[in-house]
Amino acid sequence: MESRIIQGGNFSDHRGTISYVNDFSFKDIERFYIISNSDENPIRAWQGHKLDAKNFYCINGSFKIHFVKIDNWENPSKDLNIETIIVTASESKIVHIPPGYANAIESLETNSKLISFSTLPLANVGDDDVRYTSDYWKING
């Protein structure tokens, strides 16, 4: 399975604005987190998931979502292709990253907030979560 964008939209009238992603299904969602990176450390990197799919939705500010398809969990190649998708609060879209990837979350503005919807139950996270150093893959150069 490949990563994909699930496009939503916005509706505005005299009452305000509603943002939506009607094509996103919560069927397999087990939990969610709201991520706010600090201004001093705007990049949260690299976290891999063998079994867990991640779905990211920006609720404030903007982010770059970076991700790589892991070729070997114990010793992945440092030459893997880094894919990047920008999400903003003014857009209404979810970035779906299937199992088998590592991701890095980069805040582009102060007070940015991102919701991460996860498909793996918390009890199974210990067997799934693989961390790499923040400079394992070079995001900006």
Side-chain angles (χ1 to χ4, degrees), residues 12-138:
S12 297
D13 64 13
H14 67 281
R15 299 168 291 175
T17 300
I18 296 174
S19 299
Y20 57 88
V21 184
N22 290 338
D23 292 331
F24 179 70
S25 171
F26 284 88
K27 182 178 141 238
D28 296 322
I29 301 303
E30 291 283 338
R31 56 201 164 81
F32 75 93
Y33 300 94
I34 298 176
I35 300 167
S36 299
N37 293 340
S38 69
D39 289 339
E40 298 79 27
N41 297 296
I43 299 175
R44 182 182 300 263
W46 284 94
Q47 186 169 346
H49 301 282
K50 297 175 186 177
L51 305 171
D52 194 6
K54 294 295 182 184
N55 299 278
F56 297 109
Y57 182 83
C58 183
I59 56 175
N60 196 56
S62 58
F63 288 85
K64 283 184 179 177
I65 314 262
H66 309 278
F67 49 99
V68 295
K69 175 86 169 118
I70 300 298
D71 59 348
N72 177 320
W73 288 101
E74 288 74 36
N75 188 25
S77 170
K78 293 204 175 220
D79 296 325
L80 296 177
N81 180 47
I82 299 172
E83 297 180 67
T84 300
I85 297 175
I86 296 175
V87 294
T88 69
S90 62
E91 300 173 310
S92 190
K93 66 183 178 186
I94 290 177
V95 176
H96 172 80
I97 301 175
Y101 285 77
N103 65 67
I105 308 302
E106 181 179 3
S107 302
L108 300 177
E109 303 173 48
T110 298
N111 296 320
S112 291
K113 292 187 187 304
L114 188 74
I115 297 180
S116 172
F117 299 103
S118 298
T119 60
L120 196 64
L122 190 57
N124 300 20
V125 169
D127 299 331
D128 179 62
D129 192 34
V130 181
R131 305 274 174 134
Y132 302 100
T133 62
S134 61
D135 62 348
Y136 198 90
W137 293 283
K138 304 285 187 222

